[in-house]
Amino acid sequence: MLRLPAVAGQFYPADPRELTRLIKKFTVEESGSAKTRVRACLVPHAGYIYSGGVAGAVFTRIIFPKQILVLGVRHSPMGEDLAILSEGAWRTPLGDAPVDESLAQRIKAVCPGLREDGVAHSREHSLEVEIPFLQILDPGFSFVPVAVGTLRFEDLRELGMGLAQVLRESQKEILVVTSSDMNHYEPDDVTRTKDAKAIDRMKAVDAKGLFEVCRREKISMCGLGPAVAMLTAMKELGVTSGEVVRYLTSGDVNGDRDRVVGYAGMIFA
């Protein structure tokens, strides 16, 4: 299956030269921020004009392996709750990114809730917007896309435990790229307060705590499902803390503080 770009020209430039220029702008290395090997990261997935700087700051910190698992959220009601694609490639203006068939099969073998489903992926932007960054920064990579459309904690925990098994048993390094924006469409001060509570739980690698605080405080973190699965896997692998690389809101970009979206970038080593 060749998955064609759905949001090129909307969330990011459709022209390959402009797209390359923008990603290189977002990934200029900052002095004193050394690259490191990490097991997972959290990056936003809004239009590049809003969240590209946060994603770029995270990706700039990472020494990339050649195998990557991308966990995104299924925004559309269409498709399976836990959707994987295990063959083919994803096209962007920069070319085709191959799906890692061998890794996908290993993931499916230990994550029985996953279903092969092109519908959930066909228009989903949360995974697509991360691929051009990887194409520029990690040439030659292969990846497995998983779209999460459920908020059933036990299903997310089961997915995370399965992913931990694959990561633990793999002879090759695998990076988990987790795609999520933070709180949506509330005043800037409210969003920052809410996001801080969610980020505290992620820094503590506390999947259940993140799930509960988002429910209790009504934090509209759209990638809560992928983040819970990722944190479950990281905890199982012995990761004890996460680091915030950058945080901002859309108000920092457009000046509108009345109705913002939060964007957090984190790494988990």
Side-chain angles (χ1 to χ4, degrees), residues 161-172:
M161 294 296 287
L163 296 178
Q165 181 179 337
V166 171
L167 295 169
R168 184 188 301 113
E169 295 176 354
S170 177
Q171 296 181 353
K172 296 180 180 179

Side-chain angles (χ1 to χ4, degrees), residues 40-215:
C41 64
L42 180 87
V43 286
H45 55 237
Y48 281 14
I49 187 174
Y50 288 105
S51 67
V54 175
V58 172
F59 288 136
T60 304
R61 289 283 304 276
I62 295 173
I63 299 173
F64 285 97
K66 291 304 179 185
Q67 289 188 311
I68 296 176
L69 167 65
V70 184
L71 290 175
V73 59
R74 192 202 71 201
H75 286 88
S76 165
M78 304 296 290
E80 296 285 347
D81 284 345
L82 295 172
I84 189 171
L85 289 178
S86 58
E87 62 180 9
W90 284 37
R91 179 164 294 170
T92 80
L94 301 178
D96 293 350
V99 172
D100 193 312
E101 297 183 20
S102 174
L103 177 57
Q105 293 302 327
R106 290 180 1 236
I107 292 172
K108 287 167 64 176
V110 297
C111 298
L114 285 171
R115 296 289 183 270
E116 199 76 26
D117 179 25
V119 173
H121 288 277
S122 62
R123 301 295 302 173
E124 180 51 56
H125 67 273
S126 68
L127 296 97
E128 178 180 331
V129 299
E130 315 303 352
I131 304 303
F133 277 97
L134 301 176
Q135 288 176 304
I136 293 292
L137 298 173
D138 190 21
F141 80 99
S142 60
F143 79 110
V144 175
V146 173
V148 178
T150 180
L151 283 176
R152 282 176 45 86
F153 183 79
E154 286 307 315
D155 291 345
L156 299 171
R157 184 179 183 279
E158 183 180 74
L159 174 62
M161 294 296 287
L163 296 178
Q165 181 179 337
V166 171
L167 295 169
R168 184 188 301 113
E169 295 176 354
S170 177
Q171 296 181 353
K172 296 180 180 179
E173 184 182 357
I174 301 168
L175 170 69
V176 181
V177 174
T178 311
S179 180
S180 180
D181 294 340
M182 300 300 293
N183 194 58
H184 287 61
Y185 308 136
E186 293 192 272
D188 191 85
D189 58 340
V190 174
T191 285
R192 289 177 186 273
T193 298
K194 286 187 172 185
D195 284 351
K197 294 177 181 179
I199 289 169
D200 280 347
R201 293 301 86 216
M202 289 192 284
K203 288 168 63 178
V205 197
D206 181 2
K208 184 67 170 178
L210 174 65
F211 185 83
E212 290 177 344
V213 76
C214 284
R215 288 300 184 88

Side-chain angles (χ1 to χ4, degrees), residues 213-259:
V213 76
C214 284
R215 288 300 184 88
R216 183 176 64 249
E217 301 292 338
K218 295 182 171 58
I219 303 169
S220 53
M221 178 181 177
C222 58
L224 174 58
V228 167
M230 178 271 290
L231 292 172
T232 299
M234 292 302 104
K235 191 76 169 183
E236 184 69 11
L237 293 171
V239 177
T240 58
S241 64
E243 176 188 344
V244 178
V245 176
R246 183 172 294 176
Y247 173 85
L248 55 77
T249 73
S250 57
D252 294 317
V253 178
N254 63 15
D256 180 0
R257 303 288 179 179
D258 295 329
R259 185 175 160 85

